[in-house]
PDB file of all heavy atoms in Angstrom:
ATOM      1  N   GLY K   1      -6.336 -10.913   5.952  1.00 98.00           N
ATOM      2  CA  GLY K   1      -7.197 -11.862   6.660  1.00 98.00           C
ATOM      3  C   GLY K   1      -8.648 -11.459   6.653  1.00 98.00           C
ATOM      4  O   GLY K   1      -8.940 -10.563   5.744  1.00 98.00           O
ATOM      5  N   SER K   2      -9.483 -12.165   7.405  1.00 98.00           N
ATOM      6  CA  SER K   2     -10.842 -11.883   7.424  1.00 98.00           C
ATOM      7  C   SER K   2     -11.294 -11.265   8.709  1.00 98.00           C
ATOM      8  O   SER K   2     -10.878 -11.801   9.736  1.00 98.00           O
ATOM      9  CB  SER K   2     -11.679 -13.163   7.188  1.00 98.00           C
ATOM     10  OG  SER K   2     -11.412 -13.684   5.895  1.00 98.00           O
ATOM     11  N   VAL K   3     -12.053 -10.243   8.686  1.00 98.00           N
ATOM     12  CA  VAL K   3     -12.455  -9.515   9.899  1.00 98.00           C
ATOM     13  C   VAL K   3     -13.871  -9.104   9.721  1.00 98.00           C
ATOM     14  O   VAL K   3     -14.442  -9.022   8.636  1.00 98.00           O
ATOM     15  CB  VAL K   3     -11.573  -8.244  10.241  1.00 98.00           C
ATOM     16  CG1 VAL K   3     -10.097  -8.729  10.558  1.00 98.00           C
ATOM     17  CG2 VAL K   3     -11.628  -7.245   9.128  1.00 98.00           C
ATOM     18  N   GLN K   4     -14.528  -8.692  10.850  1.00 98.00           N
ATOM     19  CA  GLN K   4     -15.890  -8.189  10.813  1.00 98.00           C
ATOM     20  C   GLN K   4     -15.820  -6.626  10.598  1.00 98.00           C
ATOM     21  O   GLN K   4     -14.806  -6.017  10.818  1.00 98.00           O
ATOM     22  CB  GLN K   4     -16.528  -8.548  12.108  1.00 98.00           C
ATOM     23  CG  GLN K   4     -16.615  -9.976  12.505  1.00 98.00           C
ATOM     24  CD  GLN K   4     -18.063 -10.486  12.500  1.00 98.00           C
ATOM     25  OE1 GLN K   4     -19.027  -9.835  12.470  1.00 98.00           O
ATOM     26  NE2 GLN K   4     -18.107 -11.835  12.545  1.00 98.00           N
ATOM     27  N   THR K   5     -16.919  -6.066  10.161  1.00 98.00           N
ATOM     28  CA  THR K   5     -16.985  -4.564  10.113  1.00 98.00           C
ATOM     29  C   THR K   5     -16.522  -3.991  11.353  1.00 98.00           C
ATOM     30  O   THR K   5     -17.064  -4.373  12.444  1.00 98.00           O
ATOM     31  CB  THR K   5     -18.406  -4.196   9.668  1.00 98.00           C
ATOM     32  OG1 THR K   5     -18.772  -4.765   8.361  1.00 98.00           O
ATOM     33  CG2 THR K   5     -18.532  -2.724   9.624  1.00 98.00           C
ATOM     34  N   GLY K   6     -15.659  -3.036  11.300  1.00 98.00           N
ATOM     35  CA  GLY K   6     -15.153  -2.244  12.398  1.00 98.00           C
ATOM     36  C   GLY K   6     -13.897  -2.779  12.929  1.00 98.00           C
ATOM     37  O   GLY K   6     -13.302  -2.240  13.873  1.00 98.00           O
ATOM     38  N   GLY K   7     -13.415  -3.855  12.441  1.00 98.00           N
ATOM     39  CA  GLY K   7     -12.205  -4.529  12.970  1.00 98.00           C
ATOM     40  C   GLY K   7     -10.962  -3.876  12.243  1.00 98.00           C
ATOM     41  O   GLY K   7     -11.074  -2.923  11.514  1.00 98.00           O
ATOM     42  N   SER K   8      -9.824  -4.365  12.732  1.00 98.00           N
ATOM     43  CA  SER K   8      -8.519  -3.775  12.279  1.00 98.00           C
ATOM     44  C   SER K   8      -7.640  -4.848  11.783  1.00 98.00           C
ATOM     45  O   SER K   8      -7.560  -5.954  12.175  1.00 98.00           O
ATOM     46  CB  SER K   8      -7.787  -2.978  13.460  1.00 98.00           C
ATOM     47  OG  SER K   8      -8.634  -1.933  13.948  1.00 98.00           O
ATOM     48  N   LEU K   9      -6.667  -4.414  10.894  1.00 98.00           N
ATOM     49  CA  LEU K   9      -5.648  -5.338  10.416  1.00 98.00           C
ATOM     50  C   LEU K   9      -4.450  -4.337  10.042  1.00 98.00           C
ATOM     51  O   LEU K   9      -4.601  -3.224   9.866  1.00 98.00           O
ATOM     52  CB  LEU K   9      -5.945  -5.992   9.084  1.00 98.00           C
ATOM     53  CG  LEU K   9      -6.927  -7.096   9.139  1.00 98.00           C
ATOM     54  CD1 LEU K   9      -7.399  -7.525   7.704  1.00 98.00           C
ATOM     55  CD2 LEU K   9      -6.386  -8.365   9.884  1.00 98.00           C
ATOM     56  N   ARG K  10      -3.237  -4.981  10.205  1.00 98.00           N
ATOM     57  CA  ARG K  10      -2.032  -4.193   9.826  1.00 98.00           C
ATOM     58  C   ARG K  10      -1.270  -5.125   8.721  1.00 98.00           C
ATOM     59  O   ARG K  10      -0.919  -6.214   8.880  1.00 98.00           O
ATOM     60  CB  ARG K  10      -1.007  -4.053  11.041  1.00 98.00           C
ATOM     61  CG  ARG K  10       0.129  -3.170  10.612  1.00 98.00           C
ATOM     62  CD  ARG K  10       1.066  -2.851  11.717  1.00 98.00           C
ATOM     63  NE  ARG K  10       1.892  -4.075  12.091  1.00 98.00           N
ATOM     64  CZ  ARG K  10       3.053  -3.874  12.761  1.00 98.00           C
ATOM     65  NH1 ARG K  10       3.470  -2.840  13.198  1.00 98.00           N
ATOM     66  NH2 ARG K  10       3.719  -5.042  13.005  1.00 98.00           N
ATOM     67  N   LEU K  11      -1.127  -4.506   7.576  1.00 98.00           N
ATOM     68  CA  LEU K  11      -0.430  -5.173   6.482  1.00 98.00           C
ATOM     69  C   LEU K  11       1.035  -4.722   6.539  1.00 98.00           C
ATOM     70  O   LEU K  11       1.375  -3.650   6.874  1.00 98.00           O
ATOM     71  CB  LEU K  11      -1.038  -4.772   5.177  1.00 98.00           C
ATOM     72  CG  LEU K  11      -2.534  -4.950   4.929  1.00 98.00           C
ATOM     73  CD1 LEU K  11      -2.990  -4.524   3.521  1.00 98.00           C
ATOM     74  CD2 LEU K  11      -2.931  -6.372   5.324  1.00 98.00           C
ATOM     75  N   SER K  12       1.934  -5.706   6.167  1.00 98.00           N
ATOM     76  CA  SER K  12       3.291  -5.444   6.067  1.00 98.00           C
ATOM     77  C   SER K  12       3.853  -5.700   4.714  1.00 98.00           C
ATOM     78  O   SER K  12       3.333  -6.633   4.031  1.00 98.00           O
ATOM     79  CB  SER K  12       4.090  -6.383   7.059  1.00 98.00           C
ATOM     80  OG  SER K  12       3.722  -6.088   8.375  1.00 98.00           O
ATOM     81  N   CYS K  13       4.806  -5.012   4.288  1.00 98.00           N
ATOM     82  CA  CYS K  13       5.535  -5.157   3.045  1.00 98.00           C
ATOM     83  C   CYS K  13       6.978  -5.141   3.259  1.00 98.00           C
ATOM     84  O   CYS K  13       7.586  -4.021   3.421  1.00 98.00           O
ATOM     85  CB  CYS K  13       5.049  -4.053   2.013  1.00 98.00           C
ATOM     86  SG  CYS K  13       5.961  -4.058   0.380  1.00 98.00           S
ATOM     87  N   ALA K  14       7.634  -6.243   3.355  1.00 98.00           N
ATOM     88  CA  ALA K  14       9.060  -6.357   3.600  1.00 98.00           C
ATOM     89  C   ALA K  14       9.810  -6.387   2.349  1.00 98.00           C
ATOM     90  O   ALA K  14       9.548  -7.145   1.415  1.00 98.00           O
ATOM     91  CB  ALA K  14       9.324  -7.666   4.364  1.00 98.00           C
ATOM     92  N   ALA K  15      10.802  -5.435   2.155  1.00 98.00           N
ATOM     93  CA  ALA K  15      11.564  -5.194   0.924  1.00 98.00           C
ATOM     94  C   ALA K  15      12.958  -5.765   1.141  1.00 98.00           C
ATOM     95  O   ALA K  15      13.614  -5.610   2.212  1.00 98.00           O
ATOM     96  CB  ALA K  15      11.633  -3.745   0.596  1.00 98.00           C
ATOM     97  N   SER K  16      13.435  -6.484   0.098  1.00 97.00           N
ATOM     98  CA  SER K  16      14.892  -6.778   0.054  1.00 97.00           C
ATOM     99  C   SER K  16      15.529  -6.161  -1.191  1.00 97.00           C
ATOM    100  O   SER K  16      14.879  -5.915  -2.127  1.00 97.00           O
ATOM    101  CB  SER K  16      15.087  -8.315   0.065  1.00 97.00           C
ATOM    102  OG  SER K  16      14.471  -8.859  -1.106  1.00 97.00           O
ATOM    103  N   GLY K  17      16.769  -5.915  -1.056  1.00 96.00           N
ATOM    104  CA  GLY K  17      17.447  -5.278  -2.194  1.00 96.00           C
ATOM    105  C   GLY K  17      17.537  -3.710  -1.938  1.00 96.00           C
ATOM    106  O   GLY K  17      17.081  -3.244  -0.933  1.00 96.00           O
ATOM    107  N   ASP K  18      18.153  -3.104  -2.871  1.00 95.00           N
ATOM    108  CA  ASP K  18      18.434  -1.604  -2.740  1.00 95.00           C
ATOM    109  C   ASP K  18      17.180  -0.804  -3.092  1.00 95.00           C
ATOM    110  O   ASP K  18      16.746  -0.791  -4.291  1.00 95.00           O
ATOM    111  CB  ASP K  18      19.609  -1.259  -3.647  1.00 95.00           C
ATOM    112  CG  ASP K  18      19.952   0.272  -3.450  1.00 95.00           C
ATOM    113  OD1 ASP K  18      19.463   0.870  -2.592  1.00 95.00           O
ATOM    114  OD2 ASP K  18      20.829   0.702  -4.210  1.00 95.00           O
ATOM    115  N   THR K  19      16.548  -0.196  -2.172  1.00 95.00           N
ATOM    116  CA  THR K  19      15.420   0.669  -2.405  1.00 95.00           C
ATOM    117  C   THR K  19      15.649   2.164  -2.051  1.00 95.00           C
ATOM    118  O   THR K  19      14.789   2.960  -1.821  1.00 95.00           O
ATOM    119  CB  THR K  19      14.186   0.194  -1.610  1.00 95.00           C
ATOM    120  OG1 THR K  19      14.448   0.266  -0.123  1.00 95.00           O
ATOM    121  CG2 THR K  19      13.806  -1.261  -1.940  1.00 95.00           C
ATOM    122  N   ASN K  20      16.924   2.479  -2.108  1.00 93.00           N
ATOM    123  CA  ASN K  20      17.334   3.899  -1.806  1.00 93.00           C
ATOM    124  C   ASN K  20      16.627   4.848  -2.834  1.00 93.00           C
ATOM    125  O   ASN K  20      16.589   4.594  -4.062  1.00 93.00           O
ATOM    126  CB  ASN K  20      18.839   4.039  -2.015  1.00 93.00           C
ATOM    127  CG  ASN K  20      19.366   5.350  -1.560  1.00 93.00           C
ATOM    128  OD1 ASN K  20      18.922   5.934  -0.602  1.00 93.00           O
ATOM    129  ND2 ASN K  20      20.374   5.884  -2.373  1.00 93.00           N
ATOM    130  N   ASN K  21      16.059   5.869  -2.239  1.00 94.00           N
ATOM    131  CA  ASN K  21      15.299   6.986  -2.974  1.00 94.00           C
ATOM    132  C   ASN K  21      14.033   6.403  -3.662  1.00 94.00           C
ATOM    133  O   ASN K  21      13.572   7.131  -4.538  1.00 94.00           O
ATOM    134  CB  ASN K  21      16.296   7.609  -4.002  1.00 94.00           C
ATOM    135  CG  ASN K  21      17.487   8.192  -3.397  1.00 94.00           C
ATOM    136  OD1 ASN K  21      18.558   8.027  -3.784  1.00 94.00           O
ATOM    137  ND2 ASN K  21      17.250   9.115  -2.333  1.00 94.00           N
ATOM    138  N   PHE K  22      13.556   5.347  -3.180  1.00 96.00           N
ATOM    139  CA  PHE K  22      12.317   4.841  -3.805  1.00 96.00           C
ATOM    140  C   PHE K  22      11.086   5.609  -3.248  1.00 96.00           C
ATOM    141  O   PHE K  22      11.051   6.104  -2.185  1.00 96.00           O
ATOM    142  CB  PHE K  22      12.177   3.381  -3.404  1.00 96.00           C
ATOM    143  CG  PHE K  22      12.745   2.410  -4.523  1.00 96.00           C
ATOM    144  CD1 PHE K  22      13.844   2.829  -5.190  1.00 96.00           C
ATOM    145  CD2 PHE K  22      12.235   1.133  -4.675  1.00 96.00           C
ATOM    146  CE1 PHE K  22      14.378   2.016  -6.078  1.00 96.00           C
ATOM    147  CE2 PHE K  22      12.849   0.226  -5.508  1.00 96.00           C
ATOM    148  CZ  PHE K  22      13.940   0.748  -6.285  1.00 96.00           C
ATOM    149  N   SER K  23       9.974   5.550  -4.077  1.00 97.00           N
ATOM    150  CA  SER K  23       8.640   5.881  -3.544  1.00 97.00           C
ATOM    151  C   SER K  23       7.903   4.635  -3.436  1.00 97.00           C
ATOM    152  O   SER K  23       8.158   3.641  -4.055  1.00 97.00           O
ATOM    153  CB  SER K  23       8.028   6.842  -4.617  1.00 97.00           C
ATOM    154  OG  SER K  23       8.673   8.125  -4.615  1.00 97.00           O
ATOM    155  N   TRP K  24       6.771   4.740  -2.565  1.00 97.00           N
ATOM    156  CA  TRP K  24       6.139   3.524  -2.177  1.00 97.00           C
ATOM    157  C   TRP K  24       4.564   3.760  -2.220  1.00 97.00           C
ATOM    158  O   TRP K  24       4.061   4.883  -2.121  1.00 97.00           O
ATOM    159  CB  TRP K  24       6.441   3.185  -0.724  1.00 97.00           C
ATOM    160  CG  TRP K  24       7.851   2.920  -0.450  1.00 97.00           C
ATOM    161  CD1 TRP K  24       8.825   3.818  -0.329  1.00 97.00           C
ATOM    162  CD2 TRP K  24       8.476   1.623  -0.356  1.00 97.00           C
ATOM    163  NE1 TRP K  24      10.091   3.177  -0.092  1.00 97.00           N
ATOM    164  CE2 TRP K  24       9.823   1.860  -0.071  1.00 97.00           C
ATOM    165  CE3 TRP K  24       7.978   0.333  -0.435  1.00 97.00           C
ATOM    166  CZ2 TRP K  24      10.823   0.762   0.018  1.00 97.00           C
ATOM    167  CZ3 TRP K  24       8.837  -0.707  -0.265  1.00 97.00           C
ATOM    168  CH2 TRP K  24      10.226  -0.529   0.004  1.00 97.00           C
ATOM    169  N   GLY K  25       3.811   2.710  -2.432  1.00 97.00           N
ATOM    170  CA  GLY K  25       2.407   2.815  -2.449  1.00 97.00           C
ATOM    171  C   GLY K  25       1.711   1.523  -2.052  1.00 97.00           C
ATOM    172  O   GLY K  25       2.261   0.414  -2.151  1.00 97.00           O
ATOM    173  N   TRP K  26       0.461   1.681  -1.574  1.00 98.00           N
ATOM    174  CA  TRP K  26      -0.445   0.636  -1.365  1.00 98.00           C
ATOM    175  C   TRP K  26      -1.651   0.720  -2.361  1.00 98.00           C
ATOM    176  O   TRP K  26      -2.164   1.802  -2.455  1.00 98.00           O
ATOM    177  CB  TRP K  26      -0.985   0.614   0.046  1.00 98.00           C
ATOM    178  CG  TRP K  26      -0.078   0.168   1.128  1.00 98.00           C
ATOM    179  CD1 TRP K  26       0.706   0.917   1.995  1.00 98.00           C
ATOM    180  CD2 TRP K  26       0.296  -1.229   1.420  1.00 98.00           C
ATOM    181  NE1 TRP K  26       1.431   0.143   2.815  1.00 98.00           N
ATOM    182  CE2 TRP K  26       1.195  -1.163   2.454  1.00 98.00           C
ATOM    183  CE3 TRP K  26      -0.109  -2.536   0.929  1.00 98.00           C
ATOM    184  CZ2 TRP K  26       1.754  -2.367   3.037  1.00 98.00           C
ATOM    185  CZ3 TRP K  26       0.440  -3.564   1.432  1.00 98.00           C
ATOM    186  CH2 TRP K  26       1.384  -3.587   2.529  1.00 98.00           C
ATOM    187  N   PHE K  27      -1.946  -0.329  -2.966  1.00 98.00           N
ATOM    188  CA  PHE K  27      -2.995  -0.385  -3.905  1.00 98.00           C
ATOM    189  C   PHE K  27      -3.895  -1.516  -3.517  1.00 98.00           C
ATOM    190  O   PHE K  27      -3.584  -2.462  -2.882  1.00 98.00           O
ATOM    191  CB  PHE K  27      -2.423  -0.560  -5.364  1.00 98.00           C
ATOM    192  CG  PHE K  27      -1.619   0.531  -5.858  1.00 98.00           C
ATOM    193  CD1 PHE K  27      -0.305   0.657  -5.525  1.00 98.00           C
ATOM    194  CD2 PHE K  27      -2.141   1.634  -6.587  1.00 98.00           C
ATOM    195  CE1 PHE K  27       0.518   1.660  -5.849  1.00 98.00           C
ATOM    196  CE2 PHE K  27      -1.366   2.603  -7.077  1.00 98.00           C
ATOM    197  CZ  PHE K  27      -0.098   2.728  -6.755  1.00 98.00           C
ATOM    198  N   ARG K  28      -5.270  -1.526  -4.041  1.00 98.00           N
ATOM    199  CA  ARG K  28      -6.089  -2.571  -3.799  1.00 98.00           C
ATOM    200  C   ARG K  28      -6.901  -2.747  -5.187  1.00 98.00           C
ATOM    201  O   ARG K  28      -7.207  -1.889  -5.887  1.00 98.00           O
ATOM    202  CB  ARG K  28      -7.019  -2.312  -2.670  1.00 98.00           C
ATOM    203  CG  ARG K  28      -7.991  -1.145  -2.799  1.00 98.00           C
ATOM    204  CD  ARG K  28      -8.677  -0.937  -1.386  1.00 98.00           C
ATOM    205  NE  ARG K  28      -9.707   0.068  -1.532  1.00 98.00           N
ATOM    206  CZ  ARG K  28     -10.344   0.565  -0.569  1.00 98.00           C
ATOM    207  NH1 ARG K  28     -10.184   0.125   0.675  1.00 98.00           N
ATOM    208  NH2 ARG K  28     -11.242   1.569  -0.705  1.00 98.00           N
ATOM    209  N   GLN K  29      -7.493  -4.060  -5.284  1.00 98.00           N
ATOM    210  CA  GLN K  29      -8.205  -4.394  -6.444  1.00 98.00           C
ATOM    211  C   GLN K  29      -9.259  -5.395  -6.006  1.00 98.00           C
ATOM    212  O   GLN K  29      -8.891  -6.423  -5.453  1.00 98.00           O
ATOM    213  CB  GLN K  29      -7.381  -4.946  -7.574  1.00 98.00           C
ATOM    214  CG  GLN K  29      -8.192  -5.126  -8.848  1.00 98.00           C
ATOM    215  CD  GLN K  29      -7.193  -5.373  -9.979  1.00 98.00           C
ATOM    216  OE1 GLN K  29      -6.100  -5.773  -9.832  1.00 98.00           O
ATOM    217  NE2 GLN K  29      -7.732  -5.100 -11.208  1.00 98.00           N
ATOM    218  N   ALA K  30     -10.573  -5.014  -6.201  1.00 97.00           N
ATOM    219  CA  ALA K  30     -11.619  -5.958  -5.971  1.00 97.00           C
ATOM    220  C   ALA K  30     -12.056  -6.615  -7.257  1.00 97.00           C
ATOM    221  O   ALA K  30     -11.808  -6.050  -8.331  1.00 97.00           O
ATOM    222  CB  ALA K  30     -12.808  -5.090  -5.366  1.00 97.00           C
ATOM    223  N   PRO K  31     -12.679  -7.740  -7.188  1.00 93.00           N
ATOM    224  CA  PRO K  31     -13.151  -8.400  -8.420  1.00 93.00           C
ATOM    225  C   PRO K  31     -14.017  -7.502  -9.366  1.00 93.00           C
ATOM    226  O   PRO K  31     -14.928  -6.933  -8.847  1.00 93.00           O
ATOM    227  CB  PRO K  31     -13.909  -9.633  -7.936  1.00 93.00           C
ATOM    228  CG  PRO K  31     -13.410  -9.887  -6.565  1.00 93.00           C
ATOM    229  CD  PRO K  31     -13.080  -8.490  -5.960  1.00 93.00           C
ATOM    230  N   GLY K  32     -13.645  -7.455 -10.624  1.00 94.00           N
ATOM    231  CA  GLY K  32     -14.347  -6.704 -11.587  1.00 94.00           C
ATOM    232  C   GLY K  32     -14.081  -5.259 -11.559  1.00 94.00           C
ATOM    233  O   GLY K  32     -14.716  -4.469 -12.353  1.00 94.00           O
ATOM    234  N   LYS K  33     -13.231  -4.780 -10.717  1.00 95.00           N
ATOM    235  CA  LYS K  33     -12.889  -3.387 -10.645  1.00 95.00           C
ATOM    236  C   LYS K  33     -11.366  -3.097 -10.953  1.00 95.00           C
ATOM    237  O   LYS K  33     -10.528  -4.019 -10.895  1.00 95.00           O
ATOM    238  CB  LYS K  33     -13.227  -2.845  -9.230  1.00 95.00           C
ATOM    239  CG  LYS K  33     -14.640  -2.887  -8.857  1.00 95.00           C
ATOM    240  CD  LYS K  33     -14.915  -2.261  -7.461  1.00 95.00           C
ATOM    241  CE  LYS K  33     -16.338  -2.264  -7.184  1.00 95.00           C
ATOM    242  NZ  LYS K  33     -16.606  -1.630  -5.769  1.00 95.00           N
ATOM    243  N   GLU K  34     -11.077  -1.804 -11.340  1.00 95.00           N
ATOM    244  CA  GLU K  34      -9.644  -1.470 -11.511  1.00 95.00           C
ATOM    245  C   GLU K  34      -8.950  -1.334 -10.314  1.00 95.00           C
ATOM    246  O   GLU K  34      -9.483  -1.064  -9.197  1.00 95.00           O
ATOM    247  CB  GLU K  34      -9.641  -0.176 -12.369  1.00 95.00           C
ATOM    248  CG  GLU K  34     -10.215  -0.218 -13.757  1.00 95.00           C
ATOM    249  CD  GLU K  34     -10.055   1.057 -14.491  1.00 95.00           C
ATOM    250  OE1 GLU K  34      -9.678   2.056 -13.916  1.00 95.00           O
ATOM    251  OE2 GLU K  34     -10.263   1.031 -15.706  1.00 95.00           O
ATOM    252  N   ARG K  35      -7.581  -1.584 -10.407  1.00 96.00           N
ATOM    253  CA  ARG K  35      -6.712  -1.301  -9.361  1.00 96.00           C
ATOM    254  C   ARG K  35      -6.681   0.135  -8.895  1.00 96.00           C
ATOM    255  O   ARG K  35      -6.638   1.050  -9.834  1.00 96.00           O
ATOM    256  CB  ARG K  35      -5.285  -1.765  -9.630  1.00 96.00           C
ATOM    257  CG  ARG K  35      -4.376  -1.874  -8.482  1.00 96.00           C
ATOM    258  CD  ARG K  35      -3.121  -2.610  -8.783  1.00 96.00           C
ATOM    259  NE  ARG K  35      -3.483  -4.042  -9.080  1.00 96.00           N
ATOM    260  CZ  ARG K  35      -2.547  -4.944  -9.350  1.00 96.00           C
ATOM    261  NH1 ARG K  35      -1.170  -4.590  -9.263  1.00 96.00           N
ATOM    262  NH2 ARG K  35      -2.876  -6.217  -9.623  1.00 96.00           N
ATOM    263  N   GLU K  36      -6.834   0.438  -7.596  1.00 96.00           N
ATOM    264  CA  GLU K  36      -6.952   1.820  -7.150  1.00 96.00           C
ATOM    265  C   GLU K  36      -5.834   2.110  -6.118  1.00 96.00           C
ATOM    266  O   GLU K  36      -5.526   1.234  -5.330  1.00 96.00           O
ATOM    267  CB  GLU K  36      -8.286   2.223  -6.622  1.00 96.00           C
ATOM    268  CG  GLU K  36      -8.706   1.442  -5.424  1.00 96.00           C
ATOM    269  CD  GLU K  36     -10.002   1.877  -4.902  1.00 96.00           C
ATOM    270  OE1 GLU K  36     -10.505   2.915  -5.213  1.00 96.00           O
ATOM    271  OE2 GLU K  36     -10.590   1.049  -4.024  1.00 96.00           O
ATOM    272  N   GLY K  37      -5.366   3.289  -6.014  1.00 97.00           N
ATOM    273  CA  GLY K  37      -4.363   3.713  -4.968  1.00 97.00           C
ATOM    274  C   GLY K  37      -5.058   3.966  -3.718  1.00 97.00           C
ATOM    275  O   GLY K  37      -6.157   4.480  -3.593  1.00 97.00           O
ATOM    276  N   VAL K  38      -4.387   3.397  -2.696  1.00 98.00           N
ATOM    277  CA  VAL K  38      -4.933   3.623  -1.288  1.00 98.00           C
ATOM    278  C   VAL K  38      -4.186   4.564  -0.571  1.00 98.00           C
ATOM    279  O   VAL K  38      -4.675   5.521   0.224  1.00 98.00           O
ATOM    280  CB  VAL K  38      -4.981   2.215  -0.658  1.00 98.00           C
ATOM    281  CG1 VAL K  38      -5.392   2.276   0.892  1.00 98.00           C
ATOM    282  CG2 VAL K  38      -5.791   1.151  -1.305  1.00 98.00           C
ATOM    283  N   ALA K  39      -2.795   4.437  -0.518  1.00 98.00           N
ATOM    284  CA  ALA K  39      -2.001   5.366   0.158  1.00 98.00           C
ATOM    285  C   ALA K  39      -0.591   5.341  -0.474  1.00 98.00           C
ATOM    286  O   ALA K  39      -0.142   4.312  -1.019  1.00 98.00           O
ATOM    287  CB  ALA K  39      -1.766   4.911   1.657  1.00 98.00           C
ATOM    288  N   THR K  40       0.081   6.472  -0.352  1.00 97.00           N
ATOM    289  CA  THR K  40       1.397   6.526  -0.929  1.00 97.00           C
ATOM    290  C   THR K  40       2.397   7.327  -0.076  1.00 97.00           C
ATOM    291  O   THR K  40       1.973   8.075   0.858  1.00 97.00           O
ATOM    292  CB  THR K  40       1.424   7.383  -2.297  1.00 97.00           C
ATOM    293  OG1 THR K  40       0.996   8.641  -2.140  1.00 97.00           O
ATOM    294  CG2 THR K  40       0.626   6.608  -3.360  1.00 97.00           C
ATOM    295  N   LEU K  41       3.571   6.958  -0.108  1.00 97.00           N
ATOM    296  CA  LEU K  41       4.800   7.603   0.618  1.00 97.00           C
ATOM    297  C   LEU K  41       5.753   7.861  -0.440  1.00 97.00           C
ATOM    298  O   LEU K  41       6.449   6.845  -0.888  1.00 97.00           O
ATOM    299  CB  LEU K  41       5.184   6.671   1.753  1.00 97.00           C
ATOM    300  CG  LEU K  41       6.524   7.125   2.443  1.00 97.00           C
ATOM    301  CD1 LEU K  41       6.323   8.407   3.165  1.00 97.00           C
ATOM    302  CD2 LEU K  41       6.929   6.016   3.464  1.00 97.00           C
ATOM    303  N   ASP K  42       6.074   9.137  -0.722  1.00 96.00           N
ATOM    304  CA  ASP K  42       7.069   9.347  -1.788  1.00 96.00           C
ATOM    305  C   ASP K  42       8.466   9.378  -1.173  1.00 96.00           C
ATOM    306  O   ASP K  42       8.634   9.380   0.029  1.00 96.00           O
ATOM    307  CB  ASP K  42       6.682  10.514  -2.654  1.00 96.00           C
ATOM    308  CG  ASP K  42       6.782  11.847  -2.012  1.00 96.00           C
ATOM    309  OD1 ASP K  42       7.478  12.036  -0.976  1.00 96.00           O
ATOM    310  OD2 ASP K  42       6.034  12.854  -2.451  1.00 96.00           O
ATOM    311  N   SER K  43       9.441   9.584  -2.052  1.00 94.00           N
ATOM    312  CA  SER K  43      10.821   9.540  -1.640  1.00 94.00           C
ATOM    313  C   SER K  43      11.166  10.835  -0.771  1.00 94.00           C
ATOM    314  O   SER K  43      12.183  10.729  -0.116  1.00 94.00           O
ATOM    315  CB  SER K  43      11.779   9.533  -2.898  1.00 94.00           C
ATOM    316  OG  SER K  43      11.563  10.649  -3.758  1.00 94.00           O
ATOM    317  N   GLY K  44      10.389  11.825  -0.797  1.00 93.00           N
ATOM    318  CA  GLY K  44      10.602  12.985   0.105  1.00 93.00           C
ATOM    319  C   GLY K  44       9.840  12.860   1.353  1.00 93.00           C
ATOM    320  O   GLY K  44      10.011  13.806   2.215  1.00 93.00           O
ATOM    321  N   GLY K  45       9.092  11.816   1.610  1.00 95.00           N
ATOM    322  CA  GLY K  45       8.386  11.561   2.823  1.00 95.00           C
ATOM    323  C   GLY K  45       6.972  12.122   2.871  1.00 95.00           C
ATOM    324  O   GLY K  45       6.346  11.968   3.899  1.00 95.00           O
ATOM    325  N   THR K  46       6.423  12.639   1.730  1.00 96.00           N
ATOM    326  CA  THR K  46       5.119  12.986   1.659  1.00 96.00           C
ATOM    327  C   THR K  46       4.070  11.831   1.624  1.00 96.00           C
ATOM    328  O   THR K  46       4.347  10.987   0.719  1.00 96.00           O
ATOM    329  CB  THR K  46       4.866  13.965   0.443  1.00 96.00           C
ATOM    330  OG1 THR K  46       5.759  15.071   0.723  1.00 96.00           O
ATOM    331  CG2 THR K  46       3.427  14.416   0.456  1.00 96.00           C
ATOM    332  N   ILE K  47       3.073  11.874   2.324  1.00 97.00           N
ATOM    333  CA  ILE K  47       2.041  10.745   2.391  1.00 97.00           C
ATOM    334  C   ILE K  47       0.758  11.300   1.817  1.00 97.00           C
ATOM    335  O   ILE K  47       0.322  12.393   2.072  1.00 97.00           O
ATOM    336  CB  ILE K  47       1.861  10.270   3.805  1.00 97.00           C
ATOM    337  CG1 ILE K  47       3.157   9.617   4.333  1.00 97.00           C
ATOM    338  CG2 ILE K  47       0.676   9.329   3.907  1.00 97.00           C
ATOM    339  CD1 ILE K  47       3.184   9.325   5.808  1.00 97.00           C
ATOM    340  N   THR K  48       0.044  10.503   1.054  1.00 97.00           N
ATOM    341  CA  THR K  48      -1.295  10.779   0.551  1.00 97.00           C
ATOM    342  C   THR K  48      -2.220   9.661   0.741  1.00 97.00           C
ATOM    343  O   THR K  48      -1.706   8.439   0.835  1.00 97.00           O
ATOM    344  CB  THR K  48      -1.344  11.114  -0.953  1.00 97.00           C
ATOM    345  OG1 THR K  48      -1.119  10.007  -1.774  1.00 97.00           O
ATOM    346  CG2 THR K  48      -0.266  12.213  -1.282  1.00 97.00           C
TER     347      THR K  48
END
């Protein structure tokens, strides 16, 4: 959505199907820029 500077949002990613032992990530891409990693959660539970 759209918010003012200093605001908050919570994004959700609902999965269906078998994701057993998967690793996960959030990425973002602005116009004219490359896609970049924002946060990751690997299959062992480590977050970056």
